[in-house]
Amino acid sequence: MLSNSVIYVGSENPAKIKAVEMAVAHIIRLEKERCGNAFTLEGIRVQGHAVSSGVSAQPRSDEETIQGALNRCRALKRKAPAAVCIGLEGGVQESSYGLLLTNWGALIDEAGQTYIAGGLRIPLPPEIAEAVRRGQELGTVIDRYAHQTNVRQKEGAIGILTQGYIDRSQLFRDIVLLLFGQLKHYSAAKI
C-alpha cells in the first residue's frame, strides 16, 4: 500500500499532522493483528508542508472544502511526485438545520490515483454561525467564543463544541483512515 517512507501532509497545522500520525499508528496496530510480523509499515514518517489551499480562508461549501483538500494534495504532488500526499480542509456548509461544521480530506497515492473522504458534521451555535455568515473566519470566531487562541491548531471548533469528547485531530484521523481504507480497497480490488 505504501512504498515510500514519508507521507506528506499539505499543512503545518499540528492538529492535521497529528491526525495523519494517529491514522498511521492505528493502521499499523490493525495490520499487525491481521498479518503479524509479515506486515511492515513501521518507520513511516509524516511530514507537514505549508501549501496553499487555493480556496477562501473560510470555505463555505462542501465543494469548496473538497477543492481546498485536493489543491493541497496537488501542490504537494508537484514537489514530491512519487509520494503519498494528503490534504485536509475544514469548512462550513449551509443546511436546513443551520450552518454545519464540515471537514474533508484528499489523498493522492504514488501512482497519482486520487481519493476523497468527508468527516463528521455538527451544527454551529447560532451566534457562531451568524458571525461566519457575516464573513468572519470560523477560527477567529471560535477563539473569541472559547476565550482561547489558536483553537484550530489544537482541539478545533469540534473540540470546543463537544466539550473535548472529540477533537480536530481525531476528526481528521477518521477522514485519513477513510482515505487509506479506499486506497487499500481499490488497490486490492483490481479486477
Side-chain angles (χ1 to χ4, degrees):
M1 179 166 79
L2 295 172
S3 60
N4 197 323
S5 63
V6 179
I7 297 170
Y8 293 98
V9 181
S11 178
E12 291 180 335
N13 183 315
K16 292 180 179 183
I17 295 168
K18 181 180 176 187
V20 178
E21 291 170 343
M22 290 167 60
V24 169
H26 184 76
I27 291 168
I28 290 170
R29 279 192 308 277
L30 284 178
E31 292 297 339
K32 276 191 173 180
E33 288 173 11
R34 294 176 185 164
C35 305
N37 292 333
F39 180 77
T40 56
L41 194 57
E42 305 276 357
I44 293 286
R45 289 181 305 116
V46 176
Q47 204 168 5
H49 291 276
V51 294
S52 173
S53 69
V55 297
S56 62
Q58 180 56 71
R60 295 183 178 279
S61 69
D62 280 334
E63 287 301 317
E64 187 179 11
T65 308
I66 293 168
Q67 191 61 56
L70 286 167
N71 289 347
R72 289 178 187 277
C73 278
R74 291 175 180 142
L76 287 171
K77 208 61 171 157
R78 286 190 290 276
K79 294 179 180 187
V84 170
C85 300
I86 296 175
L88 299 169
E89 193 73 24
V92 295
Q93 174 70 44
E94 198 63 65
S95 79
S96 60
Y97 300 98
L99 193 62
L100 303 175
L101 175 67
T102 183
N103 296 271
W104 283 88
L107 180 149
I108 302 177
D109 69 13
E110 296 106 328
Q113 183 66 40
T114 301
Y115 306 90
I116 64 167
L120 302 173
R121 293 171 184 260
I122 188 171
L124 295 172
E127 61 271 30
I128 293 175
E130 287 310 313
V132 172
R133 285 184 184 112
R134 287 193 308 271
Q136 295 179 47
E137 192 176 336
L138 178 58
T140 304
V141 176
I142 202 73
D143 281 355
R144 265 195 328 266
Y145 180 84
H147 308 290
Q148 296 181 31
T149 57
N150 282 327
V151 168
R152 77 180 78 201
Q153 293 190 354
K154 297 180 268 183
E155 68 266 57
I158 193 78
I160 298 299
L161 299 176
T162 64
Q163 295 295 298
Y165 286 170
I166 185 166
D167 67 25
R168 193 167 196 218
S169 292
Q170 292 166 317
L171 181 139
F172 276 129
R173 180 203 78 140
D174 290 351
I175 292 171
V176 174
L177 288 172
L178 291 171
L179 293 168
F180 278 121
Q182 289 178 80
L183 170 62
K184 184 173 182 180
H185 173 76
Y186 290 112
S187 61
K190 303 262 189 228
I191 298 174

